[in-house]
Amino acid sequence: MPFFHNGDVAIHFHEQGDRGVPIVCIHPPCLSSRLFTYLRTELVDKHRIITCDIRGHGYSEPGAAKLTLPLVAEDLRRLLDACGVKKSYLCSYGAGSFPLLTALLAYPDRFCGGIIISGAAAYTDIISRSKLQAAYMTSALKAKDIIAFSSALREADNRTAFQALNSDAKQGDPAKWRDYVGACLDETFERQLPRISLPMLLVYGTADRAGRVNAEAMHHLLPDSELYGVLKAKHQLLMKEPVKAGLVIGQWIERHEEPSIADTLEERSELLQVLAEHGVEGRNEGEAGSRV
């Protein structure tokens, strides 16, 4: 089981694949990097995928310091150094968007762009805040098994996946879960989004009302972003719609690494048609949708 060290803290990571610009994946509070197992399978043939457990989550040590978003961003930078990576794409899921945005703002020269799946720049809606507040209160009571069970059950697509997610989650430290959740509740990046000049991909499920609102809000504020909706899907895109999410991500990165494949309007339309055939919508620039 590979680890790298930031100071006295050992952080667990996993890397697979050796092609293309690396993609570093960031999980939300109370779970672990195992969430990205299916997505990694979809992308690894063409990309080097690096996942890590945020400190105090999964198999990473908690350390003595309070877990803050800048500290997680620093861990991500150290992860790149440990893996010998000069630049990568960052990919987050759910509230993992908060450390992703922190890292892009703090170390823009280390990243090629950001991919936010079912994420947000601020949690202002009642449903999202209520879920996070429940996790915060429960972690304060150190009810690790309850949080791990409910978090894994919400994400898993089958019994085997649930057991694996639940087992990994229970390795974590409730104090660090509380720190992470609290940071996501307190922080807002809406005013800082216009400062992010890197290309951004925003993906949400069209049956996830809060996710759609959050994605569209970010899309309007980011200088260079594309927005895609997985039709009839809810929030849990990583484990319940990994093929469609992987298709969007793979196509988006390919266009940024090889711009010539989408030089003309006809070529861009053909790429959108491929996504549409697989149940993914991307709307034209000028609408609340992707700038393709």
Side-chain angles (χ1 to χ4, degrees):
M1 186 176 291
F3 292 85
F4 75 95
H5 287 79
N6 189 356
D8 62 347
V9 179
I11 297 176
H12 171 245
F13 73 99
H14 179 276
E15 57 180 327
Q16 185 176 354
D18 56 6
R19 300 181 182 182
V21 179
I23 304 172
V24 175
C25 302
I26 311 170
H27 66 81
C30 309
L31 285 164
S32 74
S33 58
R34 188 177 291 274
L35 275 170
F36 290 92
T37 299
Y38 294 171
L39 187 63
R40 182 174 64 215
T41 299
E42 295 301 319
L43 295 172
V44 74
D45 285 347
K46 295 184 178 180
H47 300 281
R48 180 182 175 189
I49 310 298
I50 303 173
T51 61
C52 76
D53 293 338
I54 288 173
R55 55 176 66 203
H57 292 69
Y59 294 92
S60 290
E61 294 178 351
K66 180 178 181 179
L67 192 155
T68 64
L69 296 177
L71 182 55
V72 177
E74 181 189 340
D75 286 343
L76 292 170
R77 179 177 64 83
R78 293 292 184 93
L79 173 62
L80 295 184
D81 294 341
C83 294
V85 174
K86 292 183 178 180
K87 298 187 77 168
S88 78
Y89 287 95
L90 274 183
C91 176
S92 68
Y93 173 67
S97 57
F98 288 79
L100 177 147
L101 293 169
T102 303
L104 293 184
L105 287 162
Y107 311 111
D109 59 320
R110 299 302 303 270
F111 304 107
C112 306
I115 301 160
I116 295 179
I117 303 171
S118 299
Y123 282 121
T124 56
D125 65 284
I126 294 176
I127 294 176
S128 298
R129 288 193 66 83
S130 295
K131 290 179 180 178
L132 285 170
Q133 287 167 343
Y136 184 88
M137 294 301 294
T138 309
S139 61
L141 298 173
K142 299 183 179 180
K144 179 192 292 187
D145 288 356
I146 295 174
I147 300 174
F149 182 92
S150 60
S151 298
L153 186 64
R154 184 168 57 248
E155 298 294 338
D157 67 324
N158 60 54
R159 183 179 181 83
T160 300
F162 162 74
Q163 292 173 337
L165 287 175
N166 187 41
S167 176
D168 274 17
K170 288 194 293 187
Q171 304 302 316
D173 180 351
K176 292 300 180 284
W177 295 357
R178 187 168 66 254
D179 288 347
Y180 192 179
V181 171
C184 296
L185 283 168
D186 293 341
E187 188 60 84
T188 173
F189 287 93
E190 291 174 326
R191 293 186 178 182
Q192 300 179 69
L193 292 183
R195 292 173 44 204
I196 298 177
S197 59
L198 295 169
M200 299 290 291
L201 172 63
L202 310 172
V203 187
Y204 67 95
T206 61
D208 176 14
R209 182 176 179 182
R212 182 179 197 132
V213 170
N214 290 329
E216 290 181 345
M218 288 187 287
H219 177 58
H220 287 304
L221 291 170
L222 288 162
D224 182 4
S225 68
E226 296 183 19
L227 176 64
Y228 294 89
V230 178
L231 298 177
K232 300 180 181 180
K234 296 184 179 180
H235 180 91
Q236 298 86 355
L237 297 180
L238 281 189
M239 303 205 80
K240 297 184 179 180
E241 294 289 356
V243 175
K244 294 175 183 178
L247 179 63
V248 176
I249 293 168
Q251 186 189 99
W252 181 79
I253 291 180
E254 185 177 15
R255 284 192 287 106
H256 281 85
E257 296 301 310
E258 298 290 341
S260 61
I261 69 171
D263 279 341
T264 68
L265 178 60
E266 182 179 1
E267 289 171 333
R268 293 193 293 272
S269 297
E270 288 176 355
L271 292 173
L272 278 177
Q273 182 59 36
V274 170
L275 295 179
E277 291 170 356
H278 287 81
V280 178
E281 67 174 7
R283 286 163 291 175
N284 295 323
E285 187 171 3
E287 302 176 37
S290 63
R291 299 171 187 172
V292 180

